[in-house]
């Protein structure tokens, strides 16, 4: 996929602000700091359109990106950051529910997981949460460049097993550093978008 055009549409704090254009969407979920923004930047070949930050738990907005005027990437706020107040946590939950339960043009999700570790309890909860909305989930096992070649197979198998991934869902080994997995990620996304 050649990306000729990509831009941020809006950082939305509530439903009222979601883009109205009825174009299909792919949402990206994952733990804070797991590499969501880096994934977007790598996929669209832009160094810093999606902001990568060292301050986890900061963004409490849904960031909508338009790609080639064809579809949206939606960067959903990360989870699992310890230093978040109860109030903020509740607000995050409401944002998730508001988006995932009602967004009609949402076609699939990408759940970004750190390939170096066993999925966390929060990762498992998020996978099941997305499945409960009937969504296809692409599991992106990122930071693969940080694994030794000999560890890759075992780690990928662990991810698949711990999440109890369903047949329809694709596990995609990925690295935002090297670009490994980019083609499979595009192929899978475009099929979910019917493109
Ligand atoms: N080595 C390596 N580092 C990565 C990769 N993806 C993300 N990072 C780093 O992980 C940190 C968090 O990335 P970011 O995209 O901001 O995570 P987000 O909070 O999920 O959006 C940054 O320092 C990135 O440079 C990857 O595939 N390989
Ligand atoms: Mg980010």
């Amino acid at each position: 996929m050649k990306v000729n055009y990509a831009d941020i549409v809006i950082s939305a704090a509530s439903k009222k602000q979601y883009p109205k254009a009825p174009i299909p969407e792919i949402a990206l979920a994952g733990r804070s700091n797991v590499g969501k923004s880096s994934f977007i930047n790598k996929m669209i070949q832009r160094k810093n359109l999606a902001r990568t930050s060292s301050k986890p738990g900061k963004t409490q907005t849904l960031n909508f990106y338009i790609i080639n005027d064809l579809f949206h990437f939606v960067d959903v706020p990360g989870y699992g950051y310890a230093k978040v107040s109860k109030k903020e946590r509740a607000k995050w939950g409401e944002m998730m529910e508001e988006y995932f339960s009602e967004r009609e043009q949402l076609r699939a999700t990408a759940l970004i997981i750190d390939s170096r570790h066993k999925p966390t309890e929060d990762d498992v909860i998020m996978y099941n949460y997305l499945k409960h909305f009937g969504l296809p989930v692409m599991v992106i096992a990122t930071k693969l460049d940080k694994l030794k070649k000999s560890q890759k197979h075992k780690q990928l198998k662990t991810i698949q097993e711990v999440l109890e991934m369903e047949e329809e869902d694709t596990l995609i080994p990925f690295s935002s550093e090297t670009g490994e997995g980019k083609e499979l990620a595009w192929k899978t996304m475009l099929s979910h978008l019917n493109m």
Side-chain angles (χ1 to χ4, degrees):
M1 169 92 175
K2 191 167 185 308
V3 175
N4 299 309
Y5 177 73
D7 204 358
I8 177 121
V9 183
I10 191 163
S11 292
S14 74
K15 194 164 77 177
K16 293 192 297 287
Q17 296 176 310
Y18 297 170
K20 303 276 186 298
I23 61 172
E25 237 159 65
I26 296 211
L28 294 104
R31 208 155 48 74
S32 297
N33 227 28
V34 71
K36 271 186 300 125
S37 301
S38 303
F39 173 77
I40 296 176
N41 289 329
K42 191 68 195 177
M43 292 299 285
I44 63 178
Q45 269 162 314
R46 290 278 292 271
K47 270 219 165 64
N48 219 0
L49 180 61
R51 259 171 299 152
T52 55
S53 81
S54 48
K55 276 191 195 156
K58 259 259 152 185
T59 31
Q60 285 279 11
T61 54
L62 292 144
N63 297 327
F64 289 78
Y65 298 90
I66 178 86
I67 315 297
N68 282 359
D69 281 330
L70 281 176
F71 73 95
H72 290 141
F73 267 142
V74 185
D75 193 358
V76 159
Y79 53 80
Y81 184 56
K83 288 180 199 157
V84 170
S85 69
K86 233 179 169 172
K87 201 175 147 196
E88 281 173 282
R89 223 177 277 269
K91 189 172 156 250
W92 179 87
E94 282 165 29
M95 281 186 78
M96 294 292 110
E97 201 66 19
E98 181 174 62
Y99 177 73
F100 284 109
S101 66
E102 290 179 41
R103 189 67 168 163
E104 285 196 3
Q105 63 225 72
L106 180 60
R107 295 287 179 270
T109 57
L111 178 62
I112 321 284
I113 302 265
D114 190 327
S115 65
R116 294 171 297 174
H117 311 296
K118 190 177 133 196
T120 65
E121 219 170 291
D122 287 335
D123 290 332
V124 175
I125 290 169
M126 183 52 78
Y127 179 77
N128 290 325
Y129 180 74
L130 297 170
K131 293 314 289 179
H132 135 95
F133 291 110
L135 290 161
V137 180
M138 308 164 49
V139 178
I140 313 286
T142 196
K143 303 194 182 180
L144 202 71
D145 58 283
K146 294 201 175 199
L147 280 179
K148 290 199 193 99
K149 206 175 168 208
S150 59
Q151 300 172 307
K152 288 184 187 176
H153 179 74
K154 185 170 157 276
Q155 281 303 114
L156 293 169
K157 196 158 170 267
T158 301
I159 291 169
Q160 206 149 19
E161 284 173 359
V162 173
L163 294 180
E164 296 183 47
M165 279 179 66
E166 291 179 15
E167 195 81 44
E168 68 163 349
D169 296 335
T170 315
L171 178 62
I172 301 174
F174 193 88
S175 166
S176 298
E177 281 290 311
T178 66
E180 181 171 359
K182 200 174 143 180
E183 261 183 56
L184 179 60
W186 268 122
K187 188 170 165 254
T188 311
M189 283 200 297
L190 291 174
S191 80
H192 289 312
L193 292 165
N194 276 321
M195 285 172 188

